[in-house]
Amino acid sequence: MKMENIVNLIVFIFIYAFLFSYFKPSLIFSQTLTNGGDTGSHISPFFYMRDYLLPNFKIVGWYQGWYAGIPIFHFYFPLVYVLMSFISYIIPATISFKIGTVLGTFLLPLTTFLAMKIFGFKFPLPILSSLTTLILLFNEGNSMWGLNIPSTLAGEFSESFSFSLMILFFPLSYLSMKEKKFLIPSSILFTLILLSHVITAIVAFLSSLFLLFIGNPKEIFKRLFLIYFLSFLLSSFWFLPLIFKLKYTTPFFVKWYFSDFRKEMFPNIFIPFIFLSIFGIFLSIKKKEKRILYLLFPIFPSILLFYLSPFLGIVDIRFLPFIQFFLLLPSSYFLHSILLHLKNEKKFILLIIISILILVWIKNNVTYIGSWIEWNYSGYENKKLWNVYFSINNFLKQNSNARVVYEHTSLNEELGTVRAFENLPLLSGRPTLEGLFFQSIETVPFVFYIQSLITPTPSCPFPEWQCTSFNLTKAWKYLKLFNVEHFIVRSDEVKKEIRNNNLYELAANFTPYEIYRVKGNEGKYVYVPKYFPVYLKTENWRKTFYYDWFPKEELLDIPLVIEKDNFPEAKSIEELPKMEVDNNCKIEENVSNEEIKFLTNCIGKPHIIRISYFPNWKVDGAEKIYLVSPSFMLVFPNRSYVRIYYSQTLIDKVGAISSVFGIVLITILLVKNSKRGKFFLKNLQKKLKIL
């Protein structure tokens, strides 16, 4: 074995021993439910993918567990969940989930090393670049931006995995243009990046504009177009429906305000490497090293996207880690240029010393990462309130299938994360109003309005959708509207308030939690409203419903629709006609994951289903499904038995067909370009001539 390979192996042992000193195998390979930040809530969609979607040959579908139902993985990134699910068919699911959450972190040093090797850089640049990735990974300057370990622990593991793939995309796409190879691998890799995280895909796509300047722009454009066209076809089953159904999401128009820009953007752990990078950048410009310049180029689209993102409905800070990483990477190029001038023995020894110094530097700049890893991967089962948490889920499991809400309070952190009760659908079988993926459906702002009614400390993550103030009496009617039967209370303030409110009654006590039942709620998802639905002309139905109709509890009995049809029309929200409906109806319902069935004796009357409207819902037993306020479904049965089911729309089918076509096309190209394929086609051509 060459000495270079031995040194590479030694440094890799250093890198992964360092990572495992934090991500202890005893934690990662323990069979506990991962908690902490958003990660502790991601286990619900993971198990839904594993236990329901994949066994039914689906990757996207409908999930009743959050926000009155969401199209799960329709607007979020499914690849890591699919990988974790496949792994879970071999090893315990709790362990496969943990592996999935750290996959991006552990892959980044390796993919960076391989990227530099594919680029054609000589020793020791690939291994130095691999070491540099640890500087970003162990950055404690932020825990929400993405890519670093704190962000991954907070729940951004899909982005970290996508980023580790993106690093490989740069050399593959470069050589696709420069040497006319790796075109199909580049297309497949970009597809995987896109299915892992769209932000990473956007940066990678815009960064490839640099390639137009490394050769004949016309020829390069053709090859780039082919890469992205093939990738578009492969990902169409997911990407096309996402694009065409964006109007059903809740955009996130938020601008990030820094508490200390320097420490957040350039924390102390970065400082020496930023200085080394400055020399590396100047050196690459001087030598006209296009490969390094290509790796610097992502900084520019990332800066542009940071400023444009508030207008695009994307969180702006998500682009900052790309700037950080590609600013740090040239430091390894500068160190490489110094080591190149040394004799082999000195070079090898100095590289080992540099590796040790970098690891010591990181160790001295890390404070909370170790304890956070311990907190997350020890699992819910090892938190002091695990027995209480288990008992609450067990109690709720024995009741109806109506929804559950909980007080949003930092005190829930004692369970393992403030979002612990978002796992009620998994652990108790009961849906709750809140969850992850809060841009996935139009119902979300209404849910957070209710949250602000039932808790003094609401999260209210959407500034443009203003919340209200704590008011349990007002909340009662909204909870009934959303078919909420149980309310989990933690703080003394809410306990005191609810005990004196006769609209709620104590159902169970699991100290320090109390569970109250919402009086008067029948636990039904299908009902006939008191008044006939009304058409109100509006330019923006969601704002009208949210700001004009929803806050006024006296209007909740008069549903609004957005299609004129044969509905009575109102001139304004103040003049809604009250046409009473005889709603003394007998309705028997059955609600499952992707199907709502009910029997009714009120044929022809309006029936509202308290589940989020989405175009994939189809109906048998009624003419059509209407969107009705706040964002539910409305049908007029033309027979006693009605079936509403989740199915593919035209664009879903077009996307699926496009993906199949993409697979066939790539297969043909691979066969055509392979030696065996060429031989086969040549012989086939001869046989056809004979015939």
Side-chain angles (χ1 to χ4, degrees):
M1 184 184 286
K2 287 184 178 180
M3 192 62 189
E4 289 181 3
N5 293 335
I6 293 172
V7 174
N8 281 337
L9 181 60
I10 290 170
V11 177
F12 264 122
I13 290 171
F14 285 170
I15 290 170
Y16 284 99
F18 189 77
L19 282 169
F20 276 116
S21 71
Y22 286 89
F23 292 93
K24 296 180 176 64
S26 59
L27 291 172
I28 302 300
F29 296 102
S30 62
Q31 293 190 48
T32 56
L33 292 168
T34 308
N35 61 269
D38 291 1
T39 306
S41 188
H42 276 281
I43 61 172
S44 284
F46 157 63
F47 275 98
Y48 195 71
M49 173 71 80
R50 175 189 183 272
D51 297 335
Y52 179 76
L53 292 177
L54 289 180
N56 285 283
F57 304 102
K58 296 180 178 184
I59 291 178
V60 299
W62 189 260
Y63 181 54
Q64 302 285 19
W66 295 336
Y67 303 119
I70 61 168
I72 198 161
F73 299 117
H74 216 109
F75 301 106
Y76 199 70
F77 321 106
L79 183 59
V80 177
Y81 296 87
V82 172
L83 291 175
M84 290 190 294
S85 297
F86 284 146
I87 296 170
S88 75
Y89 299 141
I90 303 168
I91 63 175
T94 49
I95 297 175
S96 72
F97 178 80
K98 291 180 180 181
I99 290 172
T101 61
V102 302
L103 203 53
T105 298
F106 276 76
L107 278 177
L108 187 59
L110 178 61
T111 55
T112 304
F113 175 85
L114 292 174
M116 292 306 188
K117 293 285 281 187
I118 296 168
F119 261 127
F121 287 114
K122 294 179 180 178
F123 177 88
L125 183 55
I127 197 64
L128 280 169
S129 301
S130 186
L131 273 166
T132 305
T133 64
L134 296 179
I135 306 301
L136 178 78
L137 290 174
F138 284 89
N139 160 35
E140 293 185 339
N142 67 80
S143 61
M144 292 178 63
W145 298 7
L147 308 188
N148 61 342
I149 289 173
S151 296
T152 301
L153 293 171
E156 297 299 334
F157 52 83
S158 284
E159 187 177 6
S160 67
F161 177 76
S162 184
F163 185 78
S164 69
L165 297 183
M166 186 187 80
I167 300 305
L168 280 177
F169 178 73
F170 283 102
L172 290 183
S173 58
Y174 184 87
L175 294 178
S176 294
M177 304 303 114
K178 197 79 174 173
E179 301 177 13
K180 298 183 179 180
K181 58 183 182 181
F182 297 132
L183 189 147
I184 291 175
S186 295
S187 297
I188 295 171
L189 186 58
F190 187 80
T191 303
L192 297 177
I193 291 166
L194 178 60
L195 293 175
S196 302
H197 210 285
V198 72
I199 287 177
T200 317
I202 292 170
V203 175
F205 174 76
L206 292 177
S207 297
S208 62
L209 293 174
F210 176 89
L211 299 173
L212 294 171
F213 302 100
I214 67 170
N216 185 324
K218 189 175 179 180
E219 289 299 316
I220 288 173
F221 179 81
K222 287 179 182 178
R223 293 183 69 80
L224 278 175
F225 177 81
L226 187 55
I227 286 174
Y228 291 120
F229 176 69
L230 289 173
S231 182
F232 169 76
L233 289 177
L234 290 175
S235 61
S236 285
F237 76 94
W238 177 79
F239 189 63
L240 266 183
L242 179 147
I243 295 299
F244 277 85
K245 298 174 188 175
L246 276 175
K247 66 179 181 179
Y248 298 102
T249 63
T250 301
F252 196 57
F253 300 105
V254 175
K255 182 172 177 56
W256 184 264
Y257 293 97
F258 300 92
S259 56
D260 188 331
F261 178 79
R262 204 284 293 170
K263 287 185 178 179
E264 289 175 306
M265 189 66 188
F266 303 106
N268 293 336
I269 195 173
F270 284 6
I271 301 304
F273 298 91
I274 292 293
F275 281 110
L276 292 174
S277 283
I278 292 170
F279 291 115
I281 292 168
F282 280 119
L283 191 62
S284 62
I285 294 171
K286 182 181 177 182
K287 291 186 175 183
K288 297 180 180 179
E289 178 50 80
K290 290 182 179 179
R291 294 169 295 179
I292 296 297
L293 295 177
Y294 182 26
L295 291 172
L296 283 169
F297 190 75
I299 293 170
F300 299 103
S302 298
I303 292 171
L304 178 66
L305 289 164
F306 172 77
Y307 286 104
L308 290 178
S309 54
F311 306 102
L312 301 174
I314 305 173
V315 183
D316 53 6
I317 53 168
R318 304 303 292 280
F319 296 102
L320 296 181
F322 295 88
I323 300 171
Q324 292 175 321
F325 180 82
F326 292 108
L327 274 177
L328 289 169
L329 202 56
S331 65
S332 60
Y333 181 66
F334 178 70
L335 291 172
H336 161 78
S337 64
I338 294 173
L339 291 174
L340 273 182
H341 295 93
L342 301 176
K343 291 182 179 179
N344 280 347
E345 294 80 6
K346 290 183 179 179
K347 184 194 301 181
F348 297 146
I349 293 170
L350 189 54
L351 178 59
I352 297 294
I353 293 171
I354 288 172
S355 302
I356 294 170
L357 288 175
I358 289 174
L359 295 178
V360 170
W361 172 257
I362 294 170
K363 185 77 174 175
N364 290 336
N365 280 275
V366 172
T367 57
Y368 64 79
I369 284 177
S371 58
W372 194 350
I373 291 171
E374 178 83 29
W375 174 260
N376 274 25
Y377 294 110
S378 59
Y380 283 106
E381 294 90 334
N382 287 298
K383 303 302 177 284
K384 66 178 183 179
L385 291 181
W386 165 250
N387 289 334
V388 172
Y389 188 51
F390 179 84
S391 299
I392 290 171
N393 279 284
N394 196 46
F395 168 78
L396 294 171
K397 191 184 296 184
Q398 299 171 34
N399 284 276
S400 71
N401 69 338
R403 296 188 179 106
V404 180
V405 295
Y406 59 90
E407 180 189 354
H408 181 87
T409 169
S410 59
L411 296 171
N412 292 336
E413 185 71 29
E414 292 182 74
L415 295 169
T417 169
V418 293
R419 313 190 77 142
F421 289 118
E422 290 175 9
N423 288 317
L424 289 177
L426 171 68
L427 301 176
S428 73
R430 297 282 295 278
T432 184
L433 287 186
E434 293 180 50
L436 293 172
F437 312 155
F438 58 33
Q439 290 182 261
S440 290
I441 199 69
E442 69 270 19
T443 314
V444 171
F446 302 99
V447 166
F448 284 105
Y449 183 93
I450 293 173
Q451 184 204 70
S452 64
L453 283 171
I454 64 174
T455 176
T457 55
S459 58
C460 292
F462 295 91
E464 67 272 30
W465 301 101
Q466 298 170 9
C467 290
T468 186
S469 55
F470 177 57
N471 188 331
L472 289 180
T473 299
K474 183 176 181 179
W476 176 75
K477 195 165 185 177
Y478 292 88
L479 295 176
K480 287 209 307 172
L481 177 67
F482 273 77
N483 190 26
V484 173
E485 185 174 1
H486 289 101
F487 177 20
I488 303 170
V489 177
R490 173 64 196 270
S491 72
D492 292 337
E493 181 180 354
V494 179
K495 285 178 184 175
K496 182 180 178 181
E497 186 75 22
I498 201 167
R499 285 168 187 164
N500 297 319
N501 195 313
N502 61 9
L503 297 174
Y504 307 87
E505 62 181 0
L506 184 66
N509 187 348
F510 301 100
T511 307
Y513 288 92
E514 294 176 355
I515 302 176
Y516 286 82
R517 193 176 68 82
V518 180
K519 288 183 179 179
N521 183 52
E522 297 177 353
K524 296 290 185 181
Y525 285 95
V526 183
Y527 76 102
V528 175
K530 183 177 180 181
Y531 297 106
F532 202 85
V534 174
Y535 167 71
L536 178 66
K537 188 176 181 180
T538 173
E539 292 183 3
N540 187 323
W541 70 265
R542 281 204 284 188
K543 286 191 175 180
T544 299
F545 285 13
Y546 187 83
Y547 286 109
D548 299 331
W549 178 81
F550 200 61
K552 300 170 183 175
E553 53 186 308
E554 68 276 9
L555 298 182
L556 296 184
D557 291 328
I558 313 172
L560 300 182
V561 291
I562 62 173
E563 296 180 56
K564 192 171 183 179
D565 277 11
N566 295 317
F567 294 101
E569 187 172 352
K571 293 181 179 179
S572 68
I573 197 74
E574 290 78 20
E575 301 177 31
L576 298 181
K578 291 185 176 182
M579 296 176 59
E580 287 196 21
V581 178
D582 180 6
N583 61 356
N584 185 23
C585 303
K586 184 180 180 182
I587 301 172
E588 296 178 13
E589 65 180 42
N590 182 279
V591 178
S592 55
N593 289 331
E594 297 184 318
E595 189 177 56
I596 304 116
K597 296 181 288 187
F598 65 90
L599 281 169
T600 179
N601 63 347
C602 288
I603 297 170
K605 293 182 180 179
H607 286 61
I608 293 177
I609 298 91
R610 309 176 208 254
I611 290 171
S612 300
Y613 176 90
F614 197 66
N616 286 67
W617 286 110
K618 310 296 179 186
V619 62
D620 288 333
E623 253 186 60
K624 64 182 292 187
I625 300 174
Y626 296 92
L627 190 156
V628 65
S629 58
S631 58
F632 293 158
M633 293 185 280
L634 166 70
V635 296
F636 289 85
N638 52 30
R639 67 185 189 197
S640 59
Y641 173 73
V642 178
R643 175 176 172 257
I644 300 172
Y645 57 97
Y646 193 80
S647 181
Q648 286 189 320
T649 62
L650 177 61
I651 196 64
D652 295 315
K653 293 173 183 176
V654 170
I657 293 168
S658 298
S659 290
V660 171
F661 177 69
I663 293 169
V664 171
L665 184 57
I666 280 181
T667 304
I668 292 170
L669 289 172
L670 287 171
V671 170
K672 186 179 177 182
N673 293 328
S674 68
K675 289 182 180 179
R676 288 186 179 182
K678 287 177 181 177
F679 178 77
F680 171 78
L681 291 171
K682 190 175 181 180
N683 280 295
L684 182 63
Q685 192 175 18
K686 285 180 181 179
K687 289 178 180 179
L688 289 172
K689 282 182 179 179
I690 293 169
L691 291 172

